[in-house]
Amino acid sequence: MTRSKWTEVFASMSDSAFFEVVRHYLGPVSTPFHKPDLISGMEEFFGNPGVFQRLLEFIDPDDAFLLTYIAFSGEATDEQLGRMIPDMSPVILRERLLNLEERLLAWSRPGPKGRVYELTPAGRQVKDAGFLGPGAVIGPGSEAVSPKGVGWFDDNFLTSALAFLNESVPLFRKEGGWRKKTLESLKSRFPTLFRDSRGEERLILAGRALISAGLAVRREEVLEPKMETWRDLESMKDAQRRALMTARAAAGRSIPSDVAIPAIRLITEYLPINRSWEPDQLARLFHLSVGTTPLSPSGARRIIAHLELMGCLVSDGSGKLCRREIESHESQSEHLLSVTPVGDITLNPNMGLFCDLALTAEPVSHDVVTTFRWTKERFLTGLDYGISPKKLFKGLEEKSGRAVPENIKILAAEWEAEYNTMSLKLGVVLQATGIRREIIEKTGVLETFSHSRPAGGIWLLDPADEERWREALSDVGIDRIPPVVTPSGRPSSSIQAGSTDHPPYLPWNGIVKTPEICQFSWDKVREVDIKPVIEELAKHAKSVNLSQQEYITFQERLDRRVILVPEQIRKGAWRYEVMSAKGLDYRGKLRLAEAAINGRDDRVEVTLAVGNDVVTRLMLPDHLEKDGDDHVLVGLSLPEEEEMRIKIRKIGFMKRIKASLF
């Protein structure tokens, strides 16, 4: 978001509004005038230390709350702000936004999806003074003792999860629901998930994260791991991997990673410890931090519930949540893992993701420590994935600080030798006769691409290199090569096609960024007693000898916090419009209605006869409809916000109430 300048702010106003603003803050505008000079005068006015101090004194918690949303949610429209602040009615929200514009703390400009709100230079000064930040949105919270502990969704869990997925165990019944036997097996293998009655919820959340991150795809009854994505994940830094997976578990695919990660880090890493908040307050903070990204209030609350289920947030015992204080495990073990001569492997806490181990060893239990066991069948499965035993043992020795027992290496070498006695490759059989065979054999064009030559005129080619060997054949004059077909004679496009299950929506780079809002205050805006200021300004107003109408206008403007210094209070400072019409003045009432509709959220107060009574109603006008010789004023009743339809001729008295002074 660009930092707006005063020239942009004032350029967005109509000429009438601009001169009204100048007259209000600086006094009468004499002619001839130079508009840039008037703008410079406004800059000097708001740059005055005394004026700025008074501006700060008038900032209350409601102002700071709304200004924080404008400051940190990006270029939000009024509709988007309404979605982010669902507990504030649209009418009240619009009224408060207009007041912030009157006070020149915020301004708006037309955008493709509605009016876009930004801070003015004065609003940014309020932000820099520490009045805006997370504390303005969720308050200071309650004192609480944050319990220490270790979350379950960590690298050890991911290693165990990959090992389990590698077994291709059917998880689901065809008619839906978990397979009972599989669920019992999961309970014994993942006791840290099933430590209480919420085990299945944690299991579902974990599966949601794996699928959302593109690490697994559901194939009917099983979850199939996508190894290229696991390797990408393994290559990431620990903090980046943790941030990505936490975001994918909590938010799923509802919002992009580069939006979800900073928002979740705000709550899981920057939320002050030893303080607790209501879940709805934290949902409000999350909603703020995702900015203009579409997210429903219920979606924000669901994400907070997921963070609690993951152990990132914990209950303080009264229904409020606080950030879990992470207990370090660095001193619990000298090394990250250990390997015994019988093939048992133990991963200690803080051990990073280790895909090679997950593919070559059988998972036993994921608990405080995670245990694996080497078996021949699992080791051979790892070889199917192309695991290099030499590289695997090197990784084990680096992470354990000790040599892998020699008997394990010997046994692995025997298994590898047995595995390599047979090989099976997927290939494309190219058969050529006549002059084309002679050209291929004489030029040797296919030697670098061929697995073998089963017979004369036949070559077994690597399907992954199809583009290259077609190009090489073309270079020696062999064109119009037919497409690859299956044994049934159908064209095959799947042999060389890459996986389409790796989702394109994951940005893997640069996603661990600190949210800007973290640099600002977690404290609530202090309450300032402005009664002495109000009394001082009121006393000055009486000394100026304002007329009754001028004094009423002064009081209205003071209530709206646009009177900052005594110099603004002077006779003849404010101009007046005709704001009411009554009786038979049909044209006057019609013009008032039209002016209110054309204004920004102006109200009208109407008095009319209902039965034997005379009632006064307040409404937000929307439009006029023709009804024969009469007009019907259509709008919303206030504060009920229900549709009203009133004929102009039936209105005995109409008063226009401007929602904005300028």
Side-chain angles (χ1 to χ4, degrees):
M1 183 171 63
T2 59
R3 292 171 62 88
S4 57
K5 301 177 182 179
W6 280 120
T7 50
E8 295 176 87
V9 175
F10 294 122
S12 68
M13 299 179 181
S14 65
D15 283 346
S16 60
F18 170 73
F19 289 115
E20 181 69 16
V21 168
V22 173
R23 280 192 293 267
H24 172 78
Y25 285 105
L26 301 184
V29 178
S30 58
T31 55
F33 59 82
H34 189 220
K35 195 170 182 180
D37 290 341
L38 296 178
I39 293 175
S40 296
M42 291 294 293
E43 289 188 56
E44 290 178 13
F45 178 83
F46 281 96
N48 184 294
V51 171
F52 179 64
Q53 182 58 39
R54 182 59 49 80
L55 197 71
L56 292 182
E57 290 172 355
F58 280 170
I59 298 292
D60 63 21
D62 290 338
D63 296 330
F65 175 83
L66 199 49
L67 286 170
T68 296
Y69 274 92
I70 295 173
F72 295 105
S73 61
E75 296 182 344
T77 64
D78 45 7
E79 185 276 329
Q80 290 167 332
L81 288 169
R83 175 173 47 77
M84 288 185 271
I85 314 172
D87 48 354
M88 187 180 295
S89 79
V91 173
I92 293 176
L93 175 61
R94 287 197 295 266
E95 186 177 87
R96 290 185 178 176
L97 288 171
L98 284 169
N99 182 243
L100 293 176
E101 291 192 69
E102 290 172 335
R103 294 156 66 185
L104 295 180
L105 296 170
W107 70 292
S108 64
R109 53 181 171 78
K113 296 183 179 179
R115 297 195 70 84
V116 175
Y117 286 83
E118 297 181 38
L119 295 183
T120 65
R124 289 201 303 272
Q125 283 184 285
V126 173
K127 174 184 173 184
D128 296 340
F131 279 62
L132 312 185
V137 174
I138 64 173
S142 305
E143 289 189 11
V145 177
S146 300
K148 294 184 178 180
V150 180
W152 56 269
F153 199 77
D154 55 13
D155 281 332
N156 279 9
F157 170 79
L158 289 173
T159 304
S160 298
L162 176 57
F164 177 79
L165 294 180
N166 190 37
E167 298 178 23
S168 298
V169 177
L171 293 170
F172 318 106
R173 298 194 299 265
K174 289 184 178 179
E175 62 273 18
W178 294 99
R179 286 179 176 267
K180 185 175 181 180
K181 185 176 291 186
T182 301
L183 191 59
E184 291 301 318
S185 172
L186 287 167
K187 289 179 180 179
S188 63
R189 290 193 180 192
F190 295 89
T192 189
L193 266 67
F194 290 87
R195 58 182 180 269
D196 55 31
S197 60
R198 304 187 70 183
E200 279 194 48
E201 291 182 69
R202 294 189 185 92
L203 188 62
I204 292 171
L205 193 62
R208 164 198 178 99
L210 297 177
I211 292 174
S212 297
L215 295 168
V217 61
R218 182 169 176 176
R219 305 284 193 198
E220 296 182 350
E221 301 174 10
V222 304
L223 286 182
E224 176 184 300
K226 309 305 297 178
M227 281 314 303
E228 68 273 22
T229 320
W230 280 95
R231 292 299 188 188
D232 285 346
L233 191 71
E234 186 179 29
S235 67
M236 298 169 74
K237 294 180 179 179
D238 293 348
Q240 190 180 25
R241 180 168 59 246
R242 182 172 59 251
L244 173 67
M245 294 309 298
T246 303
R248 278 291 160 241
R253 299 184 186 181
S254 59
I255 47 181
S257 290
D258 56 347
V259 175
I261 288 174
I264 287 176
R265 290 189 72 213
L266 175 63
I267 294 173
T268 59
E269 297 180 32
Y270 295 95
L271 197 71
I273 59 173
N274 300 328
R275 291 157 79 177
S276 60
W277 289 264
E278 296 286 350
D280 281 353
Q281 289 177 301
L282 296 178
R284 181 187 296 166
L285 180 62
F286 186 85
H287 218 154
L288 161 70
S289 54
V290 301
T292 56
T293 301
L295 179 68
S296 66
S298 60
R301 290 193 295 271
R302 184 168 57 251
I303 288 169
I304 298 301
H306 287 159
L307 290 174
E308 180 189 6
L309 190 60
M310 295 172 68
C312 299
L313 298 173
V314 291
S315 174
D316 68 350
S318 66
K320 297 182 179 180
L321 300 175
C322 52
R323 176 166 68 90
R324 173 175 56 86
E325 188 175 0
I326 300 175
E327 183 177 338
S328 174
H329 293 280
E330 293 179 0
S331 61
Q332 294 186 6
S333 174
E334 182 181 357
H335 301 293
L336 295 174
L337 64 77
S338 60
V339 184
T340 68
V342 295
D344 290 334
I345 304 166
T346 300
L347 307 186
N348 294 313
N350 289 343
M351 169 68 197
L353 179 59
F354 197 174
C355 291
D356 283 358
L357 178 65
L359 297 173
T360 55
E362 178 182 336
V364 177
S365 175
H366 170 63
D367 207 338
V368 177
V369 296
T370 302
T371 52
F372 287 82
R373 180 181 301 116
W374 255 325
T375 64
K376 180 179 181 180
E377 182 179 356
R378 293 293 296 213
F379 188 83
L380 296 180
T381 300
L383 296 180
D384 285 341
Y385 277 97
I387 300 298
S388 164
K390 183 178 180 180
K391 180 181 175 183
L392 170 67
F393 291 140
K394 181 181 179 181
L396 288 168
E397 290 175 346
E398 288 176 350
K399 293 172 173 61
S400 67
R402 297 181 176 87
V404 174
E406 197 62 32
N407 65 308
I408 297 293
K409 289 184 177 181
I410 293 173
L411 189 59
E414 292 176 357
W415 290 341
E416 184 182 14
E418 179 183 336
Y419 180 86
N420 289 331
T421 57
M422 182 182 294
S423 64
L424 193 63
K425 294 182 179 179
L426 181 66
V428 173
V429 177
L430 185 147
Q431 186 172 4
T433 58
I435 187 63
R436 288 190 169 191
R437 172 180 173 179
E438 292 180 18
I439 293 173
I440 295 173
E441 289 178 341
K442 286 183 178 180
T443 59
V445 66
L446 294 180
E447 289 182 4
T448 58
F449 304 106
S450 176
H451 289 317
S452 64
R453 290 197 61 184
I458 297 177
W459 290 263
L460 187 63
L461 304 177
D462 187 344
D465 286 334
E466 181 175 354
E467 184 177 344
R468 292 174 59 207
W469 48 253
R470 280 182 179 273
E471 183 179 351
L473 289 169
S474 178
D475 289 342
V476 295
I478 300 178
D479 296 316
R480 302 292 298 171
I481 305 171
V484 177
V485 296
T486 62
S488 63
R490 296 174 181 172
S492 173
S493 59
S494 60
I495 291 180
Q496 64 176 8
S499 169
T500 59
D501 296 311
H502 185 55
Y505 49 78
L506 283 180
W508 294 105
N509 300 315
I511 55 178
V512 185
K513 57 184 179 183
T514 301
E516 181 197 8
I517 197 172
C518 294
Q519 304 168 21
F520 292 84
S521 175
W522 285 91
D523 295 320
K524 188 176 181 180
V525 173
R526 65 184 184 276
E527 297 281 357
V528 177
D529 182 11
I530 62 171
K531 186 177 179 181
V533 175
I534 300 299
E535 290 176 349
E536 174 197 339
L537 292 171
K539 182 179 179 181
H540 183 81
K542 289 179 179 179
S543 70
V544 177
N545 295 321
L546 298 176
S547 67
Q548 182 179 3
Q549 186 179 29
E550 285 178 325
Y551 191 80
I552 292 172
T553 302
F554 155 74
Q555 195 62 57
E556 289 176 346
R557 297 196 174 201
L558 182 60
D559 291 342
R560 299 175 79 88
R561 300 295 189 266
V562 294
I563 303 292
L564 300 175
V565 291
E567 290 75 15
Q568 291 176 256
I569 309 168
R570 60 179 71 86
K571 290 184 70 64
W574 304 297
R575 295 185 176 184
Y576 302 97
E577 299 178 49
V578 175
M579 301 296 285
S580 63
K582 62 180 179 179
L584 299 177
D585 187 6
Y586 183 89
R587 185 173 295 277
K589 289 182 284 188
L590 184 60
R591 286 177 177 173
L592 276 179
E594 290 172 340
I597 291 169
N598 293 329
R600 290 190 57 192
D601 299 311
D602 287 356
R603 286 106 165 103
V604 291
E605 186 180 85
V606 296
T607 301
L608 60 160
V610 178
N612 296 324
D613 294 330
V614 175
V615 298
T616 298
R617 292 181 178 172
L618 186 65
M619 73 180 295
L620 179 68
D622 182 72
H623 65 278
L624 286 163
E625 293 179 0
K626 197 80 167 64
D627 183 15
D629 294 334
D630 204 351
H631 289 81
V632 177
L633 179 60
V634 183
L636 296 177
S637 65
L638 298 176
E640 299 87 359
E641 298 188 31
E642 297 175 351
E643 186 182 67
M644 289 181 66
R645 302 175 65 87
I646 305 173
K647 288 189 176 182
I648 295 292
R649 293 191 187 279
K650 290 190 175 182
I651 298 174
F653 177 78
M654 175 185 286
K655 180 181 179 182
R656 176 188 172 198
I657 302 171
K658 293 184 69 174
S660 175
L661 299 175
F662 312 124

